[in-house]
Amino acid sequence: MNDDQATRHTLQWTVHLLRQQPQKAWGAAGVMVLAAVLVGVAFRSAGMGLLALVLLWLATRDYWLPVRYTVSEKGAAVRYLGAAFDIPWERVKYVTVAADGVKLSPLPPRSRLEPFRGVYLRFGDNREQVLEAIAFWRESTAGKKMS
């Protein structure tokens, strides 16, 4: 592998779902506020309602905030406010390509835990580049094992 290939297959991009799908914002915000109000009424506590709203926002922050993705020699990474998910190429056992992204999993596809493990990379307008980079780095690191 030469430096030109490594540079060409090292990618960084950002996906902001709110900007791509703004029509979903009102529905999502409405459901979050409604759920927070219901929790507040059920517990008779505005604090519990506010806590529910904060927890719902945290659970959906990958929609509200920009998410930065990286594919490099080290592996794949996802970063956004308060969250960081990484997977080195040596741990990737299974790759699943979907319409809007690709899942890199450290577990075999028939594992019950597989849906809850791994890293999901959403495509921006770079689907082919991302898939090419993943194939390149997986092949380049196939001989390397973690010690």
Side-chain angles (χ1 to χ4, degrees):
M1 163 182 48
N2 63 38
D3 288 340
D4 184 46
Q5 287 178 316
T7 302
R8 190 173 52 132
H9 291 98
T10 299
L11 302 175
Q12 243 187 4
W13 71 101
T14 300
V15 174
H16 194 176
L17 291 176
L18 178 61
R19 288 190 179 157
Q20 290 179 351
Q21 304 166 348
Q23 69 279 7
K24 292 183 178 183
W26 288 106
V31 168
M32 290 168 56
V33 169
L34 178 63
V37 168
L38 291 174
V39 167
V41 169
F43 285 95
R44 296 183 181 154
S45 167
M48 290 299 285
L50 184 59
L51 177 63
L53 185 62
V54 168
L55 292 175
L56 287 168
W57 184 84
L58 286 172
T60 59
R61 68 185 177 246
D62 61 332
Y63 173 77
W64 302 105
L65 302 172
V67 180
R68 187 174 14 165
Y69 300 93
T70 305
V71 173
S72 68
E73 182 177 11
K74 294 179 183 178
V78 178
R79 302 247 186 285
Y80 54 96
L81 180 69
F85 305 99
D86 301 294
I87 187 167
W89 297 119
E90 294 82 13
R91 291 196 55 224
V92 176
K93 300 233 184 327
Y94 195 72
V95 176
T96 305
V97 180
D100 65 339
V102 60
K103 168 90 178 275
L104 306 175
S105 176
L107 300 173
R110 300 206 192 285
S111 169
R112 291 182 183 177
L113 295 175
E114 197 276 329
F116 308 104
R117 301 290 188 265
V119 173
Y120 191 80
L121 306 173
R122 288 189 189 280
F123 300 130
D125 56 356
N126 60 351
R127 177 187 172 94
E128 294 308 316
Q129 286 178 306
V130 172
L131 294 176
E132 182 181 315
I134 290 170
F136 174 81
W137 290 118
R138 286 190 73 205
E139 183 178 311
S140 296
T141 60
K144 299 177 187 177
K145 294 293 177 194
M146 293 173 51
S147 46

